[in-house]
Amino acid sequence: MKQIEAKHTAILDAALGLFSRAGLHGTTVEQIAEDAGVSKTNLFYYFASKEEIYVAVLSRLLDEWLAPLRAIEPDADPVVAIGEYIRRKILFSRTQPAASRLFCLEIVQGAPLLKRELETSLKQLVDAKAAMIRGWTAAGKLAPVDPHHLIFAIWATTQHYADFAGQIDALLGTGLDDEAFANAAAENVSRIILEGIRFRPIP
């Protein structure tokens, strides 16, 4: 079982690297098998097609990508919880830039193979967290803000550092590989967003 799981993981890891650079159509099964260290025949023991590998890679990515959002609980301090969420999203962009770029590529293309999952499990999670944010606002813990736009803003700013890494490097000569830059990115994005949603009593 451990060997089976190890090969399964190796195939997905190899496919992620290839898909994030060349996309679904620019990647071959032979390339995936070679990078995973398995034969093409062995690869088809685990997956029936290249498209099935692609969906499995994206599904695993989506699960990992959404873990920090799932972790936010209604009884948490909203400013602290959202600040931690931003920090974890920056960390994900730093440690898994290929995953972030692949997800971006799929969405830009209209999410042809992931649309159903987006419309079901992702929507359910985001709607639940949006209701939680509305509850915080109603309780006077956050400034009035549309929760969906808040979530979108966090995604856009934190994922930018992975999806547009080449642009950042061209402009600043650095990126998330530099720990100091990564910490500064998390601090500044947190400050910009949290100061916008922090509750301020009307004098």
Side-chain angles (χ1 to χ4, degrees):
M1 288 302 295
K2 287 183 179 179
Q3 288 180 335
I4 291 173
E5 182 62 30
K7 285 189 178 181
H8 186 273
T9 300
I11 292 169
L12 294 183
D13 289 345
L16 169 59
L18 291 163
F19 287 144
S20 68
R21 292 192 297 273
L24 172 63
H25 301 297
T27 299
T28 66
V29 171
E30 289 79 6
Q31 288 173 320
I32 297 171
E34 181 179 354
D35 282 15
V38 301
S39 68
K40 183 178 175 181
T41 301
N42 196 223
L43 182 146
F44 281 126
Y45 172 80
Y46 295 92
F47 298 97
S49 66
K50 181 175 67 171
E51 288 73 18
E52 186 175 309
I53 299 172
Y54 184 77
V55 171
V57 168
L58 286 171
S59 296
R60 184 181 70 167
L61 161 60
L62 191 60
D63 189 57
E64 294 171 353
W65 183 61
L66 292 174
L69 184 60
R70 290 193 188 96
I72 302 177
E73 297 292 341
D75 58 354
D77 180 299
V79 173
V80 173
I82 294 173
E84 175 62 13
Y85 179 50
I86 292 170
R87 187 194 68 77
R88 291 184 65 184
K89 286 285 290 166
I90 291 284
L91 179 62
F92 186 90
S93 288
R94 184 184 186 205
T95 58
Q96 301 192 53
S100 183
R101 287 192 291 268
L102 177 59
F103 187 77
C104 178
L105 182 62
E106 171 69 9
I107 298 302
V108 167
Q109 294 174 341
L113 295 179
L114 201 60
K115 195 171 185 66
R116 177 170 175 75
E117 192 155 358
L118 298 181
E119 292 175 340
T120 54
S121 58
L122 177 61
K123 185 179 186 329
Q124 291 164 8
L125 174 63
V126 170
D127 285 349
K129 297 306 178 180
M132 178 186 70
I133 292 169
R134 288 193 190 95
W136 285 340
T137 299
K141 297 179 179 180
L142 287 181
V145 61
D146 182 286
H148 286 95
H149 289 302
L150 172 59
I151 293 170
F152 297 158
I154 293 172
W155 290 353
T157 49
T158 56
Q159 289 162 227
H160 177 90
Y161 291 93
D163 302 343
F164 290 84
Q167 177 176 268
I168 292 172
D169 183 64
L171 295 174
L172 303 177
T174 188
L176 292 184
D177 287 343
D178 180 343
E179 185 175 0
F181 179 82
N183 290 336
E187 179 183 344
N188 280 277
V189 171
S190 295
R191 185 183 305 119
I192 291 167
I193 292 177
L194 296 179
E195 287 306 312
I197 63 175
R198 195 184 303 275
F199 179 76
R200 294 174 177 81
I202 299 175

